[in-house]
Amino acid sequence: MSQLLLVEDEPRLVASLSDGLRTAGHTVEHAGTGRRALELAASRPYDLMILDIGLPDQEGFTVLRRLRSTGSDLPVLILTARTSAEDTVRGFERGADDYMPKPFSFDELLARIRLRARREPDYVEPPTIEVGRCELDPVARTLLFEGDHVTLSPREFQLAHLLMSRGGDVVTRAEALDHVWGSASADNVLDVYIRYLRSRLGADAIETVRGVGYRFVG
Ligand code: CA
């Protein structure tokens, strides 16, 4: 989904394009003149401008030149009935990123928008896990105990992660061994690591469920 600035003066085309683009999940704002287009582009962050050439106050080429002269790198897709090679070249020379002739296929327009629109960086808030006094960040691979950083080896971290990600449910011994060490590991290694985690997080942070496994309390 992109924030689009549609610069077009033909009301019916504005209506049908806006409808179609919104249905496709985009946000659309509209400018009917070059002047308005430049005002909007200067005031808001868009991902793409769809620019007509035949505008009432100035040519789309002029809008594009003025836009670029402000230092803007907003991607611009020219959508026009003017399709001579000369016009196309002129569009690209002025800094257009794409050039589409009218009439056009709406699906092709959507594909080109996907291709040209400015991409937001794929930032996803890392999902931290909080249990009791502990907070674990699986991306940064950190564990905080009452806000203080706890140094853990990779296996200790893996074990803590497994226990904490269960949200208070029991992790069986077999599961923990298999997850952290692989199935063919000595049984007592788990006790050693549980002891170590308890020494860092408090003896009551991990409950033993007799005959079954462990539950993280935090
Ligand atoms: Ca026009």
Side-chain angles (χ1 to χ4, degrees):
M1 130 138 188
S2 298
Q3 314 262 353
L4 307 175
L5 176 55
L6 174 61
V7 187
E8 172 65 64
D9 63 322
E10 161 57 49
R12 271 182 313 172
L13 187 53
V14 171
S16 71
L17 266 179
S18 302
D19 273 3
L21 292 170
R22 285 186 184 121
T23 303
H26 299 295
T27 306
V28 184
E29 284 186 50
H30 164 245
T33 63
R35 184 158 169 262
R36 182 74 186 134
L38 289 165
E39 273 171 15
L40 283 174
S43 66
R44 263 162 258 181
Y46 295 97
D47 301 316
L48 180 83
M49 177 190 282
I50 299 171
L51 178 62
D52 182 27
I53 293 301
L55 294 168
D57 60 334
Q58 53 190 292
E59 278 207 316
F61 294 123
T62 309
V63 175
L64 183 53
R65 182 171 52 73
R66 289 187 170 147
L67 178 76
R68 292 293 179 243
S69 75
T70 67
S72 167
D73 61 357
L74 174 64
V76 173
L77 185 158
I78 292 178
L79 184 61
T80 180
R82 287 172 55 172
T83 57
S84 71
E86 193 192 335
D87 280 332
T88 311
V89 168
R90 212 169 143 204
F92 283 119
E93 277 178 357
R94 298 271 165 105
D97 297 87
D98 210 339
Y99 201 103
M100 250 190 105
K102 288 177 188 163
F104 58 93
S105 129
F106 189 71
D107 285 342
E108 187 183 346
L109 177 65
L110 286 180
R112 291 193 191 218
I113 289 170
R114 271 199 300 278
L115 192 66
R116 301 295 176 199
R118 182 140 54 199
R119 305 248 162 83
E120 294 299 320
D122 290 336
Y123 181 77
V124 179
E125 192 74 34
T128 61
I129 305 168
E130 285 182 54
V131 183
R133 297 161 291 175
C134 299
E135 184 180 337
L136 181 141
D137 183 334
V139 178
R141 299 188 71 79
T142 54
L143 176 63
L144 303 180
F145 176 70
E146 293 185 331
D148 290 331
H149 186 82
V150 178
T151 306
L152 298 174
S153 74
R155 285 222 159 113
E156 289 152 7
F157 183 85
Q158 247 180 301
L159 180 59
H161 187 191
L162 175 68
L163 292 166
M164 287 181 70
S165 61
R166 280 309 158 79
D169 286 348
V170 177
V171 176
T172 66
R173 291 183 62 87
E175 235 183 313
L177 284 164
D178 187 45
H179 182 85
V180 181
W181 289 274
S183 45
S185 57
D187 196 55
N188 63 352
V189 70
L190 179 58
D191 304 290
V192 174
Y193 275 76
I194 291 287
R195 252 200 314 277
Y196 181 80
L197 287 179
R198 282 176 174 154
S199 76
R200 309 308 297 275
L201 308 174
D204 56 351
I206 300 168
E207 267 177 26
T208 301
V209 181
R210 201 166 290 279
V212 185
Y214 299 99
R215 185 193 351 250
F216 198 93
V217 183

